[in-house]
C-alpha cells in the first residue's frame, strides 16, 4: 500500500489555523468588557499568546520551510521574508500597546487605549492575512512542483520536531477546527491509517474537543462510511 501523501501542502493547514487564531483573537479583543479586570486580563493574555504563536510560526518558516524551497527556487521567499520583518515590528507595537493597557488605571485613558489596541490589531490582522496569501501564491505550488513528496514531508517533520508535544497539540487545537470537512475527512483518514497510534488518538481527542459538535459528528460518520 502506498502510505505516502502525494500532494504535500506545507502552508494551507497551518495558515487556516492562523486565520482562525487571528479571527478569534480579534473577536475577543472587540467584545471584551474592559471594565472587568479578569476579562481585560484574559483578552490581553490571549493577545500575548497569539503573538507568541505567530512569532514561532515565522521562525519555522524562516529557519526550515523557506530554506528548503530556496534550495530549488532561489529568491522565491524574498518578499515573504521582508514581510516577516514588517510583521515583527507591528507585533512589537501591539505588545507595547497591550503593556500600557495592562498598567493603565484611568478609565478615560483605558478606553482610548482599548480603541488604539483594537485598531492596531485589525490593521495587523489585515497585513498578516495578506502576507499568508503572498506566501501561498509565491511558494505553495512551486514547492509542490520542485520538491518531492518525501522532501516536503521531511520539511514538515522538521517543523514538528522543533516544538514540544504540548505545543504541537496547541497548534492542532487551532488547525483542526479551521479546516473544512472536505479537508478534515482525508486528513483524519491519513492519520488513522498511517500515523502512530498515539498521534491518531491525539487527533481524535483534540478533534472532538475543538470542532463544533455537528461537524465532529459529521466527520465521524464520514470516516465510518
Ligand atoms: Fe510567514
Amino acid at each position: 500500500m502506498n502510505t505516502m501523501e502525494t500532494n504535500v501542502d506545507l502552508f494551507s493547514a497551518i495558515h487556516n489555523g492562523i486565520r482562525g487564531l487571528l479571527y478569534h483573537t480579534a473577536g475577543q479583543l472587540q467584545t471584551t468588557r474592559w471594565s472587568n479586570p479578569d476579562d481585560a486580563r484574559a483578552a490581553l493574555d490571549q493577545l500575548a499568546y497569539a503573538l507568541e504563536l505567530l512569532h514561532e510560526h515565522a521562525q519555522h518558516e524562516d529557519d526550515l520551510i523557506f530554506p528548503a524551497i530556496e534550495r530549488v527556487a532561489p529568491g522565491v521567499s524574498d518578499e515573504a521574508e521582508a514581510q516577516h520583518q514588517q510583521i515583527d515590528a507591528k507585533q512589537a507595537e501591539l505588545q507595547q500597546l497591550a503593556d500600557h493597557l495592562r498598567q493603565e488605571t484611568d478609565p478615560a485613558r483605558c478606553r482610548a487605549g482599548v480603541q488604539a489596541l483594537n485598531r492596531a490589531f485589525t490593521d495587523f490582522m489585515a497585513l498578516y492575512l495578506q502576507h499568508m496569501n503572498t506566501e501561498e501564491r509565491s511558494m505553495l505550488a512551486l514547492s509542490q512542483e520542485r520538491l518531492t513528496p518525501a522532501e516536503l514531508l521531511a520539511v514538515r517533520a522538521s517543523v514538528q520536531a522543533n516544538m514540544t508535544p504540548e505545543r504541537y497539540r496547541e497548534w492542532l487545537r487551532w488547525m483542526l477546527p479551521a479546516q473544512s470537512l472536505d479537508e478534515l475527512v482525508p486528513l483524519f483518514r491519513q492519520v488513522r491509517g498511517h500515523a502512530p497510534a498515539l498521534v491518531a488518538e491525539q487527533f481524535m481527542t483534540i478533534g472532538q474537543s475543538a470542532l463544533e459538535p455537528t461537524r465532529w459528528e459529521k466527520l465521524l460518520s464520514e470516516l465510518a462510511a
Side-chain angles (χ1 to χ4, degrees), residues 2-182:
N2 178 14
T3 59
M4 186 173 282
E5 283 176 72
T6 52
N7 212 19
V8 182
D9 177 341
L10 293 178
F11 292 94
S12 302
I14 183 69
H15 281 183
N16 280 344
I18 289 175
R19 283 183 270 269
L21 172 69
L22 289 169
Y23 304 151
H24 174 86
T25 306
Q28 186 168 350
L29 290 175
Q30 184 175 307
T31 55
T32 286
R33 187 175 212 183
W34 292 91
S35 57
N36 179 307
D38 288 341
D39 291 356
R41 200 175 305 115
L44 294 173
D45 288 349
Q46 172 61 28
L47 173 64
Y49 171 68
L51 296 179
E52 184 185 314
L53 286 183
L54 294 178
H55 184 69
E56 180 180 303
H57 171 67
Q59 278 199 317
H60 290 152
E61 288 182 335
D62 286 339
D63 297 347
L64 301 166
I65 297 177
F66 293 173
I69 303 172
E70 281 281 326
R71 275 197 293 278
V72 291
V76 73
S77 69
D78 288 355
E79 186 182 3
E81 285 214 43
Q83 289 174 344
H84 279 187
Q85 307 293 322
Q86 203 186 349
I87 284 166
D88 253 2
K90 294 282 176 204
Q91 289 199 196
E93 279 174 34
L94 274 171
Q95 197 56 63
Q96 219 170 23
L97 287 169
D99 290 344
H100 279 134
L101 203 49
R102 251 184 227 278
Q103 309 299 330
E104 190 53 75
T105 53
D106 175 73
R109 282 203 296 268
C110 198
R111 277 194 297 278
V114 166
Q115 191 178 59
L117 183 67
N118 268 299
R119 286 181 181 154
F121 191 81
T122 47
D123 278 346
F124 170 75
M125 184 163 82
L127 178 73
Y128 208 100
L129 292 171
Q130 286 178 339
H131 162 66
M132 290 189 288
N133 286 345
T134 299
E135 289 178 331
E136 289 167 23
R137 287 192 186 109
S138 62
M139 284 182 272
L140 173 53
L142 198 74
S143 67
Q144 291 172 322
E145 273 166 36
R146 299 199 186 173
L147 291 165
T148 65
E151 288 169 330
L152 290 164
L153 284 172
V155 175
R156 186 193 283 168
S158 73
V159 172
Q160 286 171 8
N162 248 270
M163 63 180 93
T164 64
E166 174 49 32
R167 181 47 66 96
Y168 179 63
R169 287 193 289 274
E170 284 177 45
W171 278 112
L172 280 183
R173 282 186 210 109
W174 291 106
M175 285 164 62
L176 294 181
Q179 318 299 320
S180 85
L181 277 173
D182 285 338

Side-chain angles (χ1 to χ4, degrees), residues 179-198:
Q179 318 299 320
S180 85
L181 277 173
D182 285 338
E183 291 154 338
L184 288 170
V185 171
L187 173 66
F188 272 72
R189 282 210 179 106
Q190 174 79 21
V191 167
R192 291 203 334 180
H194 308 302
L198 189 65

